[in-house]
Amino acid sequence: MDYAAAVERARTGGELVWHYTTLDTLALILQGNSFLATEVSFQNDIRETLTADAAFTEALEALQADPTYELFARQALRFLGEEPHWDPWSDLPSRQLVHDARFILCASDDPDSLYAWRTYSSGGIGCAIGLDPKVALGVVDQDSNPSPRSIRHWRPVVYQPGRVRQAAERPLKRLGDRWNAAHARDTAAEEGRSEAFGLIVADLADARADVRSRAKDPAFSDEHEQRVTVEMFSRKALLTTPSSMGPRPHVRLVTSPTGKWGAAVDSAVAAPKLPIRAVRLGPDAPQSATAAVQWLLIANDYEIDPGYIDDGTRPPHMQQTWENTIIFDRSEHPYRSR
């Protein structure tokens, strides 16, 4: 990839995903060689889970009209209605927190979003970090258990109410099919068996968490948000940071050393460098910010010079490439916050 192609990639929507933040936060990201993915219940949009939960309930209500899922939907709605007053057994609270949690890393497919500049770069010099979405991410998790950690690769957030409900119906139908099979076994077995109800207890909240990780109120549609979702991890992956909501739970995401999504690594420092392909400065960044970012990147061993590869000719000839080199750019919006 030559320089012109790398610049074009950095300026074309959908080629990279863009994490909007400030230069101070970029410094922390580079020093830690990781991004923090935050549990979806602790996002800045306080209505985020309410939007998803409303669509989830509407999808269950719609399934009541389908003879195939009527009994399942009725029992699931009754369970959800009683959930706030349910007295769980002793080990369920931790299971609910870990098993039903979804940790998300947010970005945008818009490389120069005025909405995002106004929302996410206040209080500092704004920047957008352009990431290669094809590069697999792993999780910092020191648990020695070899069981896989599950990370869903970048996918768009769903804003339209109709599509949110469709997104809710898919996992509910899958759970409903399992419930129907279990219900048939319960009916054929001895009295008192409740395998079907056990599925609702164990997996209904998990299906709801999947919808929470994908849905957002349509008022935020200008963000054009993309998300990575962490679905399976161990408790050793968790850390917290202070927030106005209390300690906010996170897991750390790094470049996967194996090239596979969800690989676990012991230390972020030992992981490969993050797949940063561009840094765009905000509309009101001072002229000195470009050099400041370059110093910041080389201080953390990131490449701002082109690389060279063998072009395969004989005799050998080294060809310049900007494929993995970080491109610098500035917002074209005439916006000023100070």
Side-chain angles (χ1 to χ4, degrees):
M1 177 180 289
D2 61 19
Y3 178 74
V7 171
E8 182 67 18
R9 178 179 64 176
R11 293 179 176 176
T12 303
E15 289 292 317
L16 303 176
V17 292
W18 297 87
H19 184 73
Y20 285 79
T21 185
T22 65
L23 289 188
D24 288 341
T25 302
L26 172 60
L28 296 176
I29 290 169
L30 296 176
Q31 290 162 11
N33 198 34
S34 62
F35 285 96
L36 293 182
T38 304
E39 211 287 315
V40 70
S41 301
F42 287 79
Q43 297 300 304
N44 292 329
D45 172 17
I46 60 175
R47 295 177 299 174
E48 194 152 324
T49 56
L50 298 178
T51 300
D53 291 353
F56 192 77
T57 300
E58 290 171 6
L60 277 172
E61 291 171 345
L63 287 179
Q64 285 188 111
D66 185 335
T68 302
Y69 301 106
E70 178 184 1
L71 292 177
F72 158 71
R74 189 186 308 161
Q75 187 175 82
L77 284 167
R78 184 166 60 248
F79 175 79
L80 289 178
E82 296 171 354
E83 187 181 24
H85 311 291
W86 194 39
D87 184 19
W89 51 87
S90 59
D91 66 343
L92 191 59
S94 62
R95 178 195 175 281
Q96 284 180 312
L97 284 173
V98 175
H99 180 265
D100 301 335
R102 296 292 186 275
F103 288 79
I104 58 175
L105 172 63
C106 304
S108 172
D109 60 17
D110 187 341
D112 194 7
S113 168
L114 183 57
Y115 179 96
W117 291 126
R118 288 170 169 166
T119 304
Y120 298 109
S121 63
S122 60
I125 299 173
C127 70
I129 308 168
L131 301 170
D132 186 344
K134 299 184 294 296
V135 175
L137 300 179
V139 60
V140 178
D141 190 340
Q142 296 181 343
D143 195 309
S144 59
N145 190 326
S147 61
R149 283 67 169 173
S150 176
I151 300 180
R152 285 185 179 267
H153 55 72
W154 295 101
R155 55 181 178 170
V157 166
V158 180
Y159 299 100
Q160 299 85 351
R163 289 189 59 204
V164 172
R165 201 180 88 173
Q166 289 176 359
E169 284 180 355
R170 285 191 289 270
L172 282 172
K173 284 184 175 180
R174 289 195 296 268
L175 180 57
D177 290 336
R178 293 170 57 209
W179 186 93
N180 286 336
H183 180 66
R185 291 191 293 270
D186 289 347
T187 303
E190 68 278 3
E191 185 178 354
R193 176 169 165 156
S194 58
E195 180 187 351
F197 180 70
L199 280 175
I200 287 181
V201 172
D203 294 339
L204 186 66
D206 189 59
R208 181 176 59 189
D210 185 60
V211 180
R212 286 178 172 179
S213 72
R214 298 193 60 198
K216 204 165 185 177
D217 190 279
F220 294 88
S221 61
D222 285 347
E223 291 181 345
H224 302 284
E225 188 173 331
Q226 300 272 340
R227 287 178 174 177
V228 165
T229 307
V230 182
E231 297 180 339
M232 291 175 59
F233 54 93
S234 83
R235 299 185 190 188
K236 290 189 176 181
L238 298 169
L239 72 156
T240 62
T241 61
S243 80
S244 60
M245 294 178 281
R248 179 179 290 181
H250 308 279
V251 297
R252 285 178 292 171
L253 297 183
V254 296
T255 299
S256 170
T258 66
K260 295 181 180 180
W261 287 88
V265 298
D266 288 339
S267 167
V269 175
K273 292 299 181 183
L274 295 167
I276 300 173
R277 302 293 179 258
V279 175
R280 174 167 284 103
L281 291 168
D284 61 348
Q287 289 300 316
S288 60
T290 298
V293 173
Q294 291 173 330
W295 280 112
L296 181 60
L297 288 162
I298 65 172
N300 287 278
D301 293 328
Y302 280 82
E303 191 57 70
I304 64 173
D305 298 324
Y308 291 87
I309 57 173
D310 186 344
D311 65 3
T313 62
R314 292 293 178 269
H317 177 264
M318 301 304 290
Q319 181 177 353
Q320 190 179 80
T321 177
W322 293 79
E323 177 76 27
N324 297 321
T325 304
I326 297 173
I327 297 296
F328 301 95
D329 209 351
R330 282 181 170 268
S331 170
E332 296 182 354
H333 287 295
Y335 168 69
R336 184 171 60 197
S337 64
R338 53 190 168 186

